[in-house]
Amino acid sequence: MVLAANPCPCGRFSPKETLCECPPSSIRRYQARLSGPLLDRVDLRVEAERVTRAELTADGACGESTATVAGRVRAARERAAKRLAGTPWRTNSDIPGRELRNRWHAAPGAMDEAERSLERGVLSARGLDRVLRVAWTVADLVGRDRPDARDVALALQLRTGVPRGVPMAIGALT
Ligand SMILES: [Zn+2]
């Protein structure tokens, strides 16, 4: 499931630019229309910056090719399927949270920051499971046997939208 939303009623709000003239109260009301319980079920939250005409038409503006990304996804799925051989599951998203926590382990200490986020109330229990699940997928994409602190940090960053100094590109994590 993919959801998309504007940041404010006019759609131009950005912390970096001042194109938006929506009053703060209407921005808050607008953003509050996405309920917490709904957002808690969204694993990856990415802010899309406005793209300028120059960026849109520059050489290499499209980044990696679809074929390159598809190859990486295929390799990640194969890695997960190999790990899950002999279980009823094929992908990280298939595994029930309880099994995910008990049967496969992230690197020692890798989940510390995520667990602190749960204690501080930044993450729900569901959120913590989702972070672990996404961290496994990051590890699969990068080609690691299990998630380390960087993979968990990226998963946390994607979930909370709070930057943690982790590059958003998988290629930068290898
Ligand atoms: Zn606005």
Side-chain angles (χ1 to χ4, degrees):
M1 179 183 66
V2 176
L3 307 172
N6 280 329
C8 67
C10 82
R12 293 185 296 183
F13 175 79
S14 158
K16 291 181 192 157
E17 296 173 292
T18 49
L19 298 165
C20 158
E21 292 175 355
C22 302
S25 60
S26 91
I27 295 178
R28 270 197 304 276
R29 214 174 317 120
Y30 189 81
Q31 293 185 349
R33 280 160 54 186
L34 289 171
S35 78
L38 174 69
L39 283 177
D40 200 31
R41 289 165 169 81
V42 177
D43 294 347
L44 314 177
R45 297 173 202 168
V46 180
E47 263 182 46
E49 293 288 327
R50 277 161 53 83
V51 179
T52 65
R53 191 183 163 79
E55 284 166 344
L56 206 58
T57 53
D59 277 347
C62 298
E64 291 178 295
S65 72
T66 302
T68 303
V69 177
R72 193 158 62 219
V73 169
R74 201 175 309 115
R77 289 211 157 216
E78 279 166 13
R79 183 176 277 275
K82 203 180 282 177
R83 179 172 63 250
L84 298 173
T87 73
W89 314 297
R90 284 288 150 273
T91 65
N92 294 323
S93 67
D94 294 337
I95 312 169
R98 197 195 156 98
E99 301 284 341
L100 185 69
R101 264 175 273 133
N102 295 333
R103 292 178 67 164
W104 295 275
H105 297 283
M111 288 295 287
D112 288 359
E113 177 66 27
E115 281 159 10
R116 277 196 292 275
S117 297
L118 175 71
E119 283 157 20
R120 289 203 313 269
V122 178
L123 271 186
S124 63
R126 178 192 290 119
L128 186 66
D129 274 354
R130 300 273 180 123
V131 164
L132 179 59
R133 198 184 301 281
V134 169
W136 271 105
T137 297
V138 172
D140 287 333
L141 284 165
V142 177
R144 270 194 265 283
D145 289 339
R146 58 182 180 174
D148 67 12
R150 286 169 299 175
D151 304 330
V152 176
L154 177 57
L156 258 180
Q157 181 168 297
L158 285 165
R159 173 146 201 110
T160 60
V162 179
R164 288 162 201 277
V166 188
M168 293 290 268
I170 293 293
L173 280 178
T174 51

